[in-house]
Amino acid sequence: LLIEAVRDETRARLLHEPHDIDPRLLETVGAILKDESLSPAFKAVALAMPTEKIVSETLPVIDPHAVHAAWVAVRNAIAKRNLSAFMEAAEKNVTPSEYDPSAEPAGKRALKNLALGYAIAAGNARATILVKDQFTTSTNLTDKLAALRLMVNSQTPAKEDMEVDALKAWAGEPLLLNKWLQIQSTASSFAGESLVLERVRELVRCDFFSIRNPNNVYSLLMPFFTANPAEFHLPDGSGYAFWAEMVLELNRINPQVASRVARALENWRRYVSPLASRMHDALESVYARREELSPNVLEIIEKSLNNPV
């Protein structure tokens, strides 16, 4: 139902037609939240918004910005219609005791964090306070990471302090630093903020990132290129220029990693024409350096340029 709702909203936006989100969907979300016979784990899975990538795969032609706008519209409508139920679920599913990885408390944590995300999307100040407190006081990394992700994807100025605090706390932990990088690269930018592309460019050159470290690349660059469509597919093509730059740099360092990154544009023909044209130009710019390319990277670039689908 959620995939269908975002897809319908996307189509309406592309056709410039007025469209109201089905009230039955909004009511169904509330009914699921209030149904005591359903487990928290089931509710968390059932009410999770589909990724924009999944929605895009259901469309004949992909416009990532239309999909993103539709995704936000559907999420916000659900959040505002069911705000009290989400807040109740968030507070009811707090697990204050020592961390327990078993199914029941894990399900409660999942539902609590999902509910807080919807409540923040509805602009609820108390939800933001709860998330800040969760990051500060939680004794488990699941809740700390969830809190950081929720804050980074919100418009509250307090997120900058939390980002810095997390970076300082995890400075000596490679796995957590990679989680931190992934959260940064998959974030959304809001009015008045720097684009995520600019943040990723800065992080590539920071002391705790090494382009020679595959795990760093898979945590920062791959999620940005493949899992953050609205921020990567910028209308001016600057995201694609950065992709080409990184593919060429990685090609000199680790051809296998470079070939995985190179696949990010292999389905360029499925996108709306202005973006498809700029993706093609980026692929051609890499192909122009074919004498420098490793066989792995050259094969991916050639297949992408000749891919009929």
Side-chain angles (χ1 to χ4, degrees):
L1 288 177
L2 290 169
I3 293 175
E4 184 179 344
V6 179
R7 185 177 63 232
D8 290 346
E9 180 70 16
T10 301
R11 288 172 175 165
R13 288 172 180 272
L14 291 172
L15 296 172
H16 304 289
E17 294 179 347
H19 181 260
D20 293 325
I21 295 167
D22 192 337
R24 292 174 297 178
L25 170 65
L26 308 182
E27 293 168 2
T28 299
V29 169
I32 290 174
L33 280 169
K34 296 173 184 177
D35 191 338
E36 295 295 333
S37 69
L38 301 176
S39 70
F42 175 84
K43 293 178 183 180
V45 172
L47 301 180
M49 288 290 295
T51 67
E52 293 169 41
K53 183 177 181 180
I54 287 176
V55 175
S56 294
E57 290 171 353
T58 69
L59 300 170
V61 180
I62 301 171
D63 184 332
H65 300 285
V67 171
H68 179 68
W71 187 95
V72 170
V74 172
R75 181 203 59 185
N76 289 358
I78 291 171
K80 291 176 182 177
R81 177 67 175 270
N82 298 287
L83 176 57
S84 61
F86 278 121
M87 287 300 297
E88 181 180 349
E91 295 177 354
K92 185 176 180 179
N93 286 280
V94 171
T95 51
S97 57
E98 197 64 29
Y99 176 72
D100 183 349
S102 60
E104 184 177 353
K108 288 185 175 182
R109 286 192 296 272
L111 179 57
K112 174 195 62 180
N113 290 321
L114 176 121
L116 286 171
Y118 273 111
I120 287 176
N124 185 269
R126 174 161 173 72
T128 301
I129 294 171
L130 289 174
V131 169
K132 290 170 61 179
D133 290 344
Q134 176 173 308
F135 179 81
T136 303
T137 63
S138 177
T139 59
N140 69 83
L141 288 172
T142 299
D143 276 345
K144 281 188 177 292
L145 287 167
L148 180 61
R149 187 180 299 278
L150 290 174
M151 288 293 282
V152 168
N153 283 281
S154 73
Q155 293 181 267
T156 174
K159 66 183 178 182
E160 295 181 8
D161 291 336
M162 187 182 289
E163 289 170 331
V164 173
D165 290 344
L167 188 57
K168 290 179 179 177
W170 301 339
E173 302 286 347
L175 292 177
L176 290 176
L177 280 176
N178 283 333
K179 291 288 188 182
W180 188 92
L181 290 169
Q182 184 179 28
I183 288 172
Q184 297 296 316
S185 68
T186 54
S188 297
S189 60
F190 300 93
E193 298 179 350
S194 62
L195 294 173
V196 174
L197 171 61
E198 296 175 16
R199 298 181 221 167
V200 173
R201 276 191 175 277
E202 292 175 358
L203 289 170
V204 165
R205 308 305 173 194
C206 72
D207 293 339
F208 55 86
F209 176 90
S210 173
I211 200 166
R212 296 180 178 277
N213 183 332
N215 289 332
N216 283 174
V217 173
Y218 296 147
S219 297
L220 180 67
L221 295 179
M222 281 294 285
F224 178 65
F225 294 143
T226 63
N228 199 350
E231 298 290 340
F232 173 52
H233 295 282
L234 297 173
D236 64 359
S238 54
Y240 310 142
F242 176 61
W243 166 87
E245 178 186 334
M246 291 297 97
V247 168
L248 291 170
E249 188 169 347
L250 284 164
N251 175 73
R252 295 189 292 270
I253 298 169
N254 190 327
Q256 289 186 327
V257 174
S259 65
R260 289 190 64 180
V261 173
R263 295 177 68 95
L265 299 191
E266 63 183 351
N267 291 322
W268 62 275
R269 292 181 188 271
R270 292 200 58 214
Y271 287 76
V272 290
S273 55
L275 295 180
S277 176
R278 288 179 171 81
M279 280 188 266
H280 179 268
D281 291 345
L283 285 162
E284 287 284 7
S285 73
V286 175
Y287 186 66
R289 307 273 289 275
R290 54 188 172 276
E291 294 183 359
E292 306 170 23
L293 299 180
S294 67
N296 291 3
V297 175
L298 180 59
E299 180 183 10
I300 296 298
I301 299 300
E302 286 181 334
K303 283 185 176 180
S304 297
L305 285 169
N306 297 318
N307 186 359
V309 180

